[in-house]
Amino acid sequence: GATRIAEHWLVTAAHCVDQPYNELRIIGDAANLRSPLAKITQGELAVCHAGYEGTANGYANDIALIRLDDDEVAALGDVPIARFGNTDKTLAPANYPTADMAGWGITSFGGQLSPDLLAANIRITAAGPSTIYVASQGGAGPCVGDSGGPLYVTEEDGSRTVVGVLSVVEQNPSTGQFCAGDYNGRYTNLQGYEEWMNSVMTLCEADPETCR
C-alpha cells in the first residue's frame, strides 16, 4: 500500500521497495485492483530512509517515498492527496483511542490477498516519536500485504489525517498465528518523519538526478 501526500509523491514502507526491482507499478483510482477502471502507471524512483536496515535494526525508520513524473501523475487519475502528519490533538491513546487502517492484504491466517480495498478500526495502544503501536479489534486489523498502507485518525470536525504507514504485524502471542484474534502491529509515525519527507521532496524536485 501507499498514500499520496503530494502531487508527485506517495509514502510507503521502506521494506516494500528495498529489494531490486524492474519497475514500481502503481495502481490507483479504484477500490478493486482488478477493476477495468483501475489506473496503472509506474513510479519514477523510490527513496528509502538512510537509517532503514530492515531486520538488522528491527525495521526502524521503515519509510520510503515514491516519485511520479508528470506523465505518471496524469495516468494515475483522481487519487486524492491526503493530509498527513500533525493532528489537531497530541497523538496519544487518550486523544485518539482508535484509528482506521486500509489495504489489500490477506484477510485470514494463511489466506489470500484481497482484490478489494478493505478497512478496519483498530486500537492505538501507544505512540512514540517514530512508531505508533496498535492492536487488533474484534479480530480485525492489518495483515501481510497491507504493508505501507495508511493509518488515519478522524478529527472532531470529521476530517481525516494520515498518521502512519504499516511496518510490522506481530503474531498472536497465544496461537503463533498472524492476523488472527488478538495481535499487535507497528506503524511508522509520519509525525516523526515529516521534516525528512519534506526535505527529500524538496531536494528531488530541485535536482532529480540526486535522488536516482
Side-chain angles (χ1 to χ4, degrees), residues 13 15 52 54-55 57-62 122-123 125-126 130-136 142-143 146-151 163-171 183-189:
H15 78 260
Y52 170 75
T55 56
N57 65 349
Y59 289 96
N61 306 304
D62 191 6
I122 57 180
R123 293 185 294 117
T125 57
S130 60
T131 307
I132 302 169
Y133 300 87
V134 301
S136 62
C143 198
D146 290 321
S147 291
L151 181 73
V163 294
V165 293
L166 180 62
S167 175
V168 174
V169 176
E170 299 177 1
Q171 295 170 290
Y183 63 96
N184 300 318
R186 304 200 305 264
Y187 281 78
T188 301
N189 188 346

Side-chain angles (χ1 to χ4, degrees):
T3 302
R4 191 177 188 182
I5 56 169
E7 183 177 7
H8 290 83
W9 292 92
L10 302 105
V11 63
T12 187
H15 78 260
C16 293
V17 293
D18 66 341
Q19 298 296 317
Y21 52 81
N22 294 321
E23 66 177 358
L24 288 166
R25 183 174 297 176
I26 310 297
I27 305 174
D29 214 20
N32 185 299
L33 297 178
R34 300 170 184 169
S35 168
L37 300 178
K39 305 293 194 310
I40 302 176
T41 186
Q42 294 186 35
E44 179 186 8
L45 56 87
V47 181
C48 294
H49 193 283
Y52 170 75
E53 299 178 9
T55 56
N57 65 349
Y59 289 96
N61 306 304
D62 191 6
I63 185 171
L65 294 174
I66 298 173
R67 188 183 190 279
L68 309 175
D69 68 17
D70 290 339
D71 291 339
E72 291 157 355
V73 167
L76 187 61
D78 295 325
V79 175
I81 296 173
R83 183 175 71 184
F84 72 94
N86 290 331
T87 45
D88 290 349
K89 300 178 182 178
T90 301
L91 184 60
N95 295 324
Y96 300 94
T98 64
D100 293 291
M101 55 77 54
W104 289 270
I106 65 175
T107 56
S108 61
F109 179 68
Q112 301 294 315
L113 295 172
S114 172
D116 296 302
L117 181 63
L118 301 177
N121 185 254
I122 57 180
R123 293 185 294 117
I124 294 179
T125 57
S130 60
T131 307
I132 302 169
Y133 300 87
V134 301
S136 62
Q137 189 161 241
C143 198
V144 177
D146 290 321
S147 291
L151 181 73
Y152 50 94
V153 297
T154 301
E155 308 289 4
E156 289 185 350
D157 63 0
S159 63
R160 291 176 170 176
T161 304
V162 176
V163 294
V165 293
L166 180 62
S167 175
V168 174
V169 176
E170 299 177 1
Q171 295 170 290
N172 182 305
S174 300
T175 65
Q177 295 182 344
F178 286 97
C179 318
D182 296 325
Y183 63 96
N184 300 318
R186 304 200 305 264
Y187 281 78
T188 301
N189 188 346
L190 297 185
Q191 292 185 353
Y193 292 90
E194 191 165 1
E195 183 177 349
W196 175 81
M197 295 164 69
N198 288 329
S199 64
V200 168
M201 289 188 287
T202 299
L203 174 64
C204 294
E205 293 293 345
D207 185 8
E209 291 302 319
T210 302
C211 298
R212 295 187 184 279

